[in-house]
């Protein structure tokens, strides 16, 4: 039903506008693309409440549909035993959930959804006004926000609202469609966006209770562009220009109401409250998800083992990898290749939150760079970038091909056949860390050594291995690189950390905490598209460590071969004939390849524990593995860091893959095959309209079934419940994730392997030890 009354009292419109804007998830640009929790604006609510709000305002889902749940049920991914074992007080009866999984009762009831004035008119008349308004705003935003694809930009008119008012003096596209007099109508609005919002909302006359849904829906129609603006103000206390975008969309909605015949059309705002049938359906779907999680968690727990005491033996190599799930298998194969290599897991920026060159942040987006370093580019690379910029411009693309002629065509053909080459500038360019003051260099090194958790004595050779993904013609390629490095290769962070580790002057200042004199570090990069490891700046390794380096290189080659063989089985359409490495190289360089790798698809758990608990375990490339030894962390500082940073980042990754799986149309980005790069910042399905906020369908689906299981992240931490409770209580963002059920938090006892689950009420309960040795 439509809820409308005349405003008789002054409302605090701006508080409602701020709330609506803060509910928008940020969207980082293609250069810095990182996974984002699409539900972050509703983290203060439980998933069932968030499902209602997301459906009302974004027409998007939180919970998986019955079709996905039934497919997993029929495939045996969870069973009746899992439904029974995961039952909690207040959950739907097991028999009722089983009946729905078996196909009884059909699909879910239609959700309650709000509609703008334009969308309500479309539903009545079969028109497409809502789409036209979004497309028009998208064209303006693309022109104003261009990041180097176009060769021209709109002049800055003093803010988004002011620039749009100037644009609309000349944009006749909506007037031609029937909104006659639109330019003059907009020109008559106040020049101040806040005043314009107040006037427009006053003229609209919505009931106070209806305003949050209406404002949320207007932003929901533009969630991609709204996310981009939300990202721009992410590290500030305000909402940036996002309220101005809301004012623009509000203006066009009211223009449809006032300038078109049949102006009695109003927004459609359903009454609050969830119908009983819909509430039951959602509770049943969540119960099925919890049972699915039970099956996955049990499979992981079967692989873990208690830590036994042993006499410390100095390893030949200590190899630190990113906690990324794609590192898990390589670490296992590396340890199997050489028993004297000990591996560790740590966030892949190696506690080096730095910016490179013109402000490129090499750290998680939750942080801001604390220092800056420079790279020395090669002349060839500079020329390549200039040519690349020219051929991507609207006018230059045609001239580029006409100028290069057959040479350019051969380049395209070579790329489509998988013969392109990849540049690794971050791995080879000269690096200048001298911009970092000496005292800050010391603080960075000390912080890294404190948090890495390396067992002493340190090995003669330390490998700090970041990761990257070498793929071609993929606008979302940054999503396959390192989220801990802000969507970039971890090469710079690893090289900087190694330079600090090997600096004699810094070691002298560390005193007793310094590594032994014979311990030397080398940087590396794990290419997750091919499972090769490139050792960086290896020429700087002294002759005294040449044999150690050879030993490491041989073990890495063996480990890479083993990991490639394991991973290749899951890649659809992998050609036959050549060596597996050659085929994966060709696949990663093939411009037509939609699935060069699976990224972090099917991530399921975050484990912070001594490596001895998971050593030798085949966790299926599904676990973020962070090294942690509570005995070496008496004050809980490292535990606090792990729970408030890597766990939160991992939850963002998990929830973005979840969202792109359960609602690819609204929270994913559809098919990669039809992506268009807009303004150099994101992708869209066409030349205008809204930006697409999530992952491509090919990143989560193999063409037959979901590649990513939409379950919550299972967080397993080898620490005392009381210590974990202290951290949760002191950090609101973590508390929201835990208390509202967006992640499932558990403790592990390193001595016994016992597991406890943190309940919504904040208490802990034992998780029965799973029997058998099945893989997860």
């Amino acid at each position: 039903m439509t809820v409308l009354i005349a405003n008789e009292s002054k409302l605090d419109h701006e508080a409602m506008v701020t709330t609506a804007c803060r509910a928008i998830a940020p969207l980082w640009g293609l250069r810095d693309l990182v996974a984002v929790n699409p539900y972050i604006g509703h983290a203060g609510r439980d998933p069932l409440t968030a499902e209602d709000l997301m459906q009302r305002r974004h027409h998007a889902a939180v919970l998986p549909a019955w079709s996905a749940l039934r497919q997993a049920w029929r495939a045996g991914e969870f069973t009746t035993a899992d439904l029974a074992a995961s039952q909690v007080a207040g959950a739907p009866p097991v028999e009722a959930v089983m009946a729905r999984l078996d196909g009884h009762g059909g699909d879910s009831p239609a959700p309650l959804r709000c509609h703008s004035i334009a969308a309500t008119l479309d539903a009545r008349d079969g028109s497409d006004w809502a789409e036209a308004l979004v497309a028009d705003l998208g064209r303006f935003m693309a022109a104003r926000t261009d990041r180097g694809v176009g060769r021209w930009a709109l002049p800055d008119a003093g803010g988004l609202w002011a620039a749009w008012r100037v644009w609309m003096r000349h944009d006749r596209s909506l007037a031609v469609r029937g909104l006659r007099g639109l330019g003059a109508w907009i020109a008559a609005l106040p020049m101040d966006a806040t005043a314009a919002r107040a006037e427009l909302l006053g003229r609209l006359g919505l009931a106070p209770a209806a305003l949050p849904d209406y404002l949320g829906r207007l932003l929901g129609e533009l969630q991609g562009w709204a996310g981009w603006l939300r990202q721009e103000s992410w590290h500030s206390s305000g909402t940036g220009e996002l309220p101005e975008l809301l004012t623009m969309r509000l203006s066009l909605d009211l223009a449809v109401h006032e300038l078109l015949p049949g102006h009695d059309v109003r927004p459609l705002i359903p009454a609050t409250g969830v119908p009983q049938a819909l509430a039951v359906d959602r509770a049943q779907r969540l119960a099925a998800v919890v049972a699915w999680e039970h099956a996955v968690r049990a499979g992981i727990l079967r692989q873990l083992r208690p830590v036994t005491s042993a006499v410390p033996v100095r390893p030949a190599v200590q190899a630190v990898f990113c906690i990324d799930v794609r590192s898990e298998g390589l670490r296992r194969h590396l340890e199997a290749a050489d028993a004297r290599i000990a591996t560790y897991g740590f966030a892949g920026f190696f506690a080096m939150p730095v910016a490179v060159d013109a402000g490129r942040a090499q750290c998680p987006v939750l942080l801001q760079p604390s220092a800056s370093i420079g790279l020395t580019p090669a002349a060839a690379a500079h020329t390549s970038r200039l040519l690349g910029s020219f051929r991507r411009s609207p006018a230059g693309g045609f001239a580029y091909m006409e100028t290069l002629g057959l040479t350019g065509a051969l380049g395209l053909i070579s790329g489509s056949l998988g013969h392109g080459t990849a540049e690794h500038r971050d791995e080879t360019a000269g690096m200048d860390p001298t911009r970092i003051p000496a005292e800050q260099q010391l603080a960075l090194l000390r912080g890294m050594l404190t948090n890495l958790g390396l067992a002493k004595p340190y090995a003669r050779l330390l490998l700090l291995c970041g990761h990257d993904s070498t793929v071609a013609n993929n606008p979302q390629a940054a999503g396959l690189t390192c989220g801990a490095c802000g969507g970039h290769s971890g090469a710079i962070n690893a090289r900087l950390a190694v330079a600090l580790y090997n600096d004699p002057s810094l070691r002298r200042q560390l005193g007793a905490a310094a590594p032994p004199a014979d311990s030397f570090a080398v940087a590396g990069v794990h290419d997750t598209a091919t499972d090769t490891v490139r050792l960086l700046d290896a020429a700087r390794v002294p002759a005294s460590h040449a044999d150690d380096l050879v030993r490491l290189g041989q073990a890495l080659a063996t480990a890479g071969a083993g990991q490639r063989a394991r991973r290749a089985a899951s890649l659809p359409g992998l050609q036959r004939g050549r060596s597996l490495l050659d085929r994966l190289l060709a696949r990663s360089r093939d411009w037509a390849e939609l699935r060069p790798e699976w990224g972090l698809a099917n991530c399921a758990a975050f484990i912070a524990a001594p490596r001895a608990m998971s050593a030798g375990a085949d966790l299926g490339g599904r676990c973020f593995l962070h090294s942690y030894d509570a005995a070496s962390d008496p004050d809980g500082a490292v535990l606090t860091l792990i729970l408030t940073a890597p766990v939160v980042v991992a939850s963002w990754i998990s929830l973005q893959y979840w969202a792109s799986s359960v609602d690819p149309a609204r929270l994913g980005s559809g098919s990669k095959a039809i992506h268009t790069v807009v303004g150099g910042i994101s992708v869209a399905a066409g030349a205008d309209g809204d930006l697409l906020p999530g992952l491509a369908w090919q990143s989560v689906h193999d063409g037959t079934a979901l590649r990513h299981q939409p379950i919550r992240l299972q967080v397993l931490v080898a620490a005392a419940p009381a210590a974990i409770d202290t951290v949760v209580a002191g950090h609101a963002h973590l508390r929201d994730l835990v208390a509202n059920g967006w992640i499932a938090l558990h403790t592990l006892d390193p001595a016994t392997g016992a597991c406890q689950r943190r309940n919504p009420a904040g208490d802990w309960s034992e998780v029965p030890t799973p029997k058998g040795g099945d893989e997860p």
Side-chain angles (χ1 to χ4, degrees):
M1 60 178 291
T2 303
V3 182
L4 285 161
I5 63 169
N7 274 327
E8 296 182 357
S9 60
K10 184 175 178 60
L11 296 175
D12 188 357
H13 291 144
E14 287 308 296
M16 295 183 183
V17 167
T18 298
T19 299
C21 290
R22 290 193 180 280
I24 296 297
L27 173 63
W28 266 264
L30 295 176
R31 189 190 72 164
D32 312 298
L33 187 66
V34 294
V36 172
N37 171 13
Y39 313 117
I40 192 170
H42 302 297
R45 302 175 172 89
D46 63 87
L48 293 177
T49 305
E51 166 85 12
D52 182 54
L53 291 174
M54 288 293 292
Q55 289 285 7
R56 293 175 72 89
R57 299 172 185 177
H58 294 262
H59 297 186
V62 173
L63 300 173
W66 282 115
S67 57
L69 295 170
R70 286 168 183 155
Q71 188 173 39
W73 172 254
R74 291 164 184 162
E77 294 178 21
F78 63 103
T79 65
T80 304
D82 295 307
L83 283 168
S86 61
Q87 185 82 344
V88 296
V94 171
E95 295 76 12
V97 180
M98 286 179 57
R100 297 301 300 278
L101 289 168
D102 287 334
H104 304 296
D107 294 326
S108 301
L112 300 180
R113 289 179 167 176
C114 305
H115 294 278
S116 62
I117 292 173
T120 304
L121 180 65
D122 292 342
R124 188 192 74 176
D125 297 346
S127 54
D128 60 352
W129 276 107
E131 181 181 345
L133 301 185
V134 169
D136 196 74
L137 287 171
R139 282 191 292 273
F140 164 75
M141 291 297 295
R144 185 177 187 268
T145 317
D146 179 80
R147 291 295 185 271
V149 172
R151 295 296 91 194
W152 53 82
L154 291 179
D156 187 357
L160 188 65
W161 170 250
W164 183 68
R165 282 166 51 86
V166 173
W167 172 278
M168 293 307 291
R169 294 177 193 169
H170 310 286
D171 182 4
R172 303 286 299 166
S173 56
L174 293 176
V176 171
R177 288 181 59 94
L179 286 180
R180 295 181 178 84
L182 177 62
W185 188 90
I186 291 174
L189 294 174
M191 296 182 63
D192 177 73
T194 303
R197 283 194 295 276
E199 178 179 321
L200 290 165
L201 289 172
R203 283 155 62 175
L204 185 59
L206 274 179
L211 277 173
D213 279 343
Y214 177 63
L215 296 174
R217 180 58 199 145
L218 292 181
L219 289 175
E221 288 186 351
L222 285 160
Q223 64 175 342
W225 283 114
W228 169 257
L229 293 179
R230 184 75 181 96
Q231 168 268 141
E232 288 195 319
S233 62
W234 184 249
H235 288 292
S236 72
S237 59
T239 52
E241 293 183 320
L242 184 50
E244 297 182 46
L245 177 66
L246 176 58
T247 310
M248 291 152 53
R249 180 62 189 86
L250 173 61
S251 301
L252 294 181
D253 218 37
L254 202 63
V256 168
H257 169 60
E258 294 187 357
L259 299 181
L260 284 180
H263 59 276
D264 57 324
V265 174
R266 295 289 197 275
L268 179 64
I269 313 294
T272 56
V274 181
Q276 179 68 13
L278 191 55
V280 169
D281 174 84
R282 289 172 175 169
Q284 291 173 339
R285 283 188 283 152
L286 182 57
V289 170
V290 172
W292 200 350
E293 293 169 351
H294 179 273
V296 172
R297 183 178 61 247
I300 291 171
L301 289 175
R302 289 188 193 102
Q303 300 290 312
L304 304 183
R305 66 193 67 183
V307 177
T308 57
S309 59
V311 178
V313 176
R314 188 184 193 189
V317 178
Q318 289 169 310
V320 185
F321 291 85
C322 183
I323 61 173
D324 188 292
V325 298
R326 292 167 293 180
S327 300
E328 180 263 312
L330 186 68
R331 289 177 59 185
R332 175 168 48 84
H333 285 291
L334 182 59
E335 292 165 340
D338 190 328
R340 291 200 61 200
I341 295 180
T343 74
Y344 296 79
F346 190 74
F349 75 117
F350 299 113
M352 301 285 142
V354 296
V356 178
D357 294 336
R360 189 187 80 194
Q362 290 280 147
C363 59
V365 296
L366 294 173
L367 306 177
Q368 289 186 287
S370 62
S372 178
I373 62 172
L375 294 182
T376 305
H382 179 67
T383 303
S384 174
R385 288 197 301 277
L386 286 176
L387 286 173
S389 176
F390 179 60
R391 66 185 174 90
R392 285 192 300 269
S393 68
F398 295 102
Y400 175 87
M401 289 306 299
E402 287 187 2
T403 301
L404 294 187
L406 182 60
T407 303
L410 289 174
L412 289 174
I413 295 170
S414 176
S416 66
L417 293 176
H419 301 308
T421 58
E423 293 182 4
H424 301 286
R425 176 173 174 258
D426 287 0
E427 301 176 14
T428 58
M431 185 179 64
D432 178 17
T434 59
R435 294 186 191 177
I436 305 176
E439 64 274 11
Q440 193 171 3
Q441 292 183 38
L442 180 63
L444 288 173
L445 176 59
R446 181 177 283 121
M448 180 185 73
L449 292 178
T450 299
N451 296 318
L452 276 183
L454 296 176
K456 296 180 181 179
Y458 294 156
R460 279 177 50 82
L461 190 63
L462 171 66
L463 169 66
L464 298 180
C465 191
H467 66 95
D468 194 2
S469 181
T470 306
V471 296
N473 195 34
N474 181 1
Q476 295 181 323
L480 298 176
T481 54
C482 188
C485 296
H488 307 292
S489 164
I492 289 297
N493 302 78
R495 294 174 69 199
L496 175 62
V498 162
L500 299 183
Y501 185 92
N502 293 333
D503 189 323
S505 65
L506 294 179
R507 288 197 178 189
R508 286 192 294 271
Q509 295 176 73
L510 285 175
D518 68 343
S519 181
F520 195 86
V522 65
V525 168
H526 171 204
D527 190 326
T528 54
T530 59
D531 283 309
T532 54
V533 174
R534 296 184 289 271
L535 296 178
L536 312 178
D537 304 325
R540 298 183 182 180
V541 176
S544 59
H545 288 64
D547 290 344
D548 302 276
L549 191 65
V550 169
R551 178 178 193 158
L552 173 61
Q554 291 172 341
L556 286 170
T558 301
Q563 177 64 0
R564 281 191 293 275
R566 170 66 185 264
R567 190 171 61 88
S570 69
L571 290 174
L574 187 62
Q575 298 176 356
R576 298 180 180 274
R578 293 173 289 175
S579 73
L580 181 54
L581 177 57
D582 285 342
R583 283 178 280 157
L584 289 174
L585 281 169
R587 186 185 187 90
S588 71
R589 297 169 180 174
D590 185 351
W591 290 7
E593 177 53 57
L594 297 177
R595 298 180 181 91
E597 62 153 291
W598 280 117
L600 292 95
N602 226 20
C603 57
F606 183 105
I607 302 174
R611 176 55 173 164
M613 292 196 74
S614 60
D618 184 352
L619 298 172
R622 305 193 65 183
C623 297
F624 300 91
L625 292 182
H626 200 301
S627 298
Y628 179 66
D629 183 357
S632 302
D633 183 34
D635 62 356
V638 176
L639 176 65
T640 300
L641 178 67
I642 291 172
L643 289 176
T644 57
V647 165
V648 174
V649 171
S651 77
W652 281 26
I653 294 168
S654 170
L655 287 166
Q656 180 161 82
Y657 274 89
W658 164 301
S660 297
S661 300
V662 303
D663 198 340
R666 291 297 300 160
L667 299 177
S669 59
S671 174
K672 186 183 296 186
I674 60 172
H675 282 174
T676 299
V677 175
V678 176
I681 62 170
S682 191
V683 296
D688 50 32
D690 198 19
L691 302 179
L692 300 173
L695 301 166
W697 183 234
Q698 289 85 356
S699 295
V700 296
H701 198 277
D702 64 10
T704 303
L706 280 174
R707 172 68 183 175
H708 181 78
Q709 295 178 339
I711 61 173
R712 295 172 300 174
L713 187 70
Q714 307 297 297
V715 179
L716 304 143
V717 184
I724 294 175
D725 285 339
T726 299
V727 179
V728 172
H731 297 84
H733 63 293
L734 176 64
R735 187 168 62 249
D736 283 343
L737 289 171
V738 174
N740 294 312
W742 292 101
I743 62 176
L745 182 59
H746 307 76
T747 68
L748 294 171
D749 186 336
T752 66
C755 177
Q756 295 184 66
R757 177 179 62 246
R758 193 179 196 273
N759 301 314
D763 59 327
W764 296 83
S765 58
E766 291 289 336
V767 174
T769 303
K771 305 299 182 182
D774 295 337
E775 292 185 2

